[in-house]
């Protein structure tokens, strides 16, 4: 159902949603029957960001209105939260490269608009405290000028990229003898732009028998100083050894490439 609203009022609401994400979230705003029904960030996956390479991803916003959705009129914003020193300013803010996006009509009333964004490790996270849950602010407008704006239309985890190494020795090893498996877990530091050891984290030691495709967990080891990993196992058959880290709310998953050991 159409409600009377001025063009300037709608324009103001859209400008607020795209370029002035508040530090403390404002109340959602809605005029008429326009509804945001779905928001998908990065295809439904978490975002992992390292120290150098930018991460490009999409935000797809689906909305419905009885008059249809107006295209090329709004865009989402990805933001973290209030600033530590200036609470009225957003802390962490990423906007689409093309604010028009690409919109596809599903039918006369429902449209999905997809936007491409790029997060840069030396600019957008600002520091390590912004690892964790980020929010999507989104607005959509109906052809009858009804509109909806949501401060938190969706959320996504933005996590520090993690790496794992592995080394098994000796090679080859005699059957029944002791095999030593070492490695190191590191993660991106968004303040120094280097990778640093991640301590006191549980990491699984996994093994895949030669000629098979499946890894099985042998034991779990906790990382020590500098993210170091070390354990021993009995060699029984030839195959591949690796470490696997499940990740945390602020750090991505990581799996080392399997290290082959022949058993004689």
């Amino acid at each position: 159902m159409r409600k009377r609203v001025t063009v300037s009022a709608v324009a103001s609401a859209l400008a607020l949603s795209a370029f002035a994400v508040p530090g403390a979230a404002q109340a959602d705003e809605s005029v008429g029957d326009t509804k945001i029904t779905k928001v998908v960030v990065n295809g439904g996956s978490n975002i992992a960001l390292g120290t150098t390479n930018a991460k490009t991803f999409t935000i797809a916003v689906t909305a419905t209105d009885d008059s249809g959705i107006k295209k090329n009129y709004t865009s989402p914003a990805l933001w973290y939260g209030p600033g530590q020193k200036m609470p009225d300013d957003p802390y962490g803010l990423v906007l689409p490269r093309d604010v028009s996006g690409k919109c596809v009509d599903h039918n006369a009333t429902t449209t999905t608009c997809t936007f491409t964004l790029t997060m840069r490790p030396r600019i957008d996270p600002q520091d390590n405290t912004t690892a964790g849950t980020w929010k999507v602010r989104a607005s959509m407008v109906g052809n009858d000028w009804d509109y909806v704006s949501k401060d938190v239309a969706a959320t996504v985890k933005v996590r520090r990229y993690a790496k794992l190494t592995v080394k098994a020795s000796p090679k080859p090893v005699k059957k029944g003898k002791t095999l030593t498996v070492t490695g190191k877990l590191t993660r991106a530091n968004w303040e120094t732009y280097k990778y640093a050891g991640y301590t006191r984290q549980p990491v699984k030691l996994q093994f895949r028998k030669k000629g098979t495709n499946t890894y099985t967990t042998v034991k779990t080891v906790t990382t020590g100083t500098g993210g170091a990993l070390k354990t021993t196992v009995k060699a029984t058959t030839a195959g591949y050894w690796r470490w696997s880290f499940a990740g945390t709310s602020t750090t991505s998953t990581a799996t080392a490439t399997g290290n082959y050991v022949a058993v004689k």
Side-chain angles (χ1 to χ4, degrees):
M1 179 174 63
R2 180 173 178 172
K3 304 283 186 180
R4 288 187 174 274
V5 59
T6 65
V7 173
S8 60
V10 175
S12 297
L14 299 181
L16 177 64
S17 68
F19 300 107
V21 177
Q26 297 180 347
D28 294 343
E29 189 173 2
S30 178
V31 173
D33 63 353
T34 307
K35 292 182 176 63
I36 293 175
T37 59
K38 187 177 183 181
V39 178
V40 179
V41 185
N42 195 35
S45 299
N46 296 319
I47 296 171
L49 197 65
T51 61
T52 304
N53 296 331
K55 173 66 177 180
T56 297
F57 58 96
T58 60
I59 295 178
V61 183
T62 301
T64 183
D65 184 279
D66 63 355
S67 67
I69 297 298
K70 191 176 291 293
K71 301 178 182 64
N72 304 325
Y73 208 78
T74 185
S75 63
L78 183 67
W79 63 294
Y80 176 75
Q84 295 179 339
K85 296 182 180 180
M86 301 180 65
D88 291 333
D89 291 337
Y91 196 56
L93 177 64
V94 183
L95 300 173
R97 295 182 342 200
D98 179 3
V99 296
S100 298
K102 295 182 179 179
C103 297
V104 176
D105 292 328
H106 298 287
N107 51 49
T109 62
T110 305
T111 298
T112 296
C113 292
T114 302
F115 304 84
T116 299
L117 298 85
T118 297
M119 181 172 279
R120 297 152 296 181
R122 302 199 173 202
I123 298 175
D124 298 309
Q126 298 190 21
D127 58 47
N128 293 326
T129 67
T130 58
T133 301
W134 285 55
K135 311 166 191 72
V136 175
R137 188 164 195 206
S139 300
M140 294 295 270
V141 183
N143 286 323
D144 55 5
W145 294 106
D146 290 350
Y147 71 92
V148 61
S149 177
K150 289 187 175 183
D151 281 331
V152 186
T155 60
V156 64
K157 294 287 187 183
V158 178
R159 305 194 292 183
R160 295 161 66 179
Y161 189 82
K163 296 180 180 180
L164 262 175
T165 61
V166 64
K167 182 179 180 181
S169 61
K171 295 180 184 179
V173 63
K174 291 184 178 181
K175 186 174 182 179
K177 294 297 183 179
T178 298
L179 184 69
T180 300
V181 185
T182 59
K184 187 175 183 180
L185 174 65
T186 59
R187 62 174 175 168
N189 186 315
W190 294 337
E191 297 168 17
T192 64
Y193 312 121
K194 297 178 181 179
Y195 281 83
Y198 198 11
T199 62
R200 298 186 296 277
Q201 299 303 311
V203 181
K204 294 178 180 179
L205 176 66
Q206 298 180 329
F207 177 73
R208 175 169 67 88
K209 184 178 179 180
K210 180 181 179 181
T212 67
N213 298 317
T214 305
Y215 278 91
T216 58
T217 298
V218 176
K219 63 172 71 175
T220 299
V221 178
T222 301
T223 56
T225 302
L229 289 158
K230 184 176 182 180
T231 192
T232 59
V233 292
K234 292 295 183 182
T236 58
T237 186
Y240 300 83
W241 295 90
R242 74 180 187 183
W243 295 105
S244 181
F245 175 57
T248 67
S249 62
T250 61
T251 305
S252 75
T253 61
T255 300
T257 301
N259 190 212
Y260 179 74
V261 177
V263 175
K264 295 186 175 181

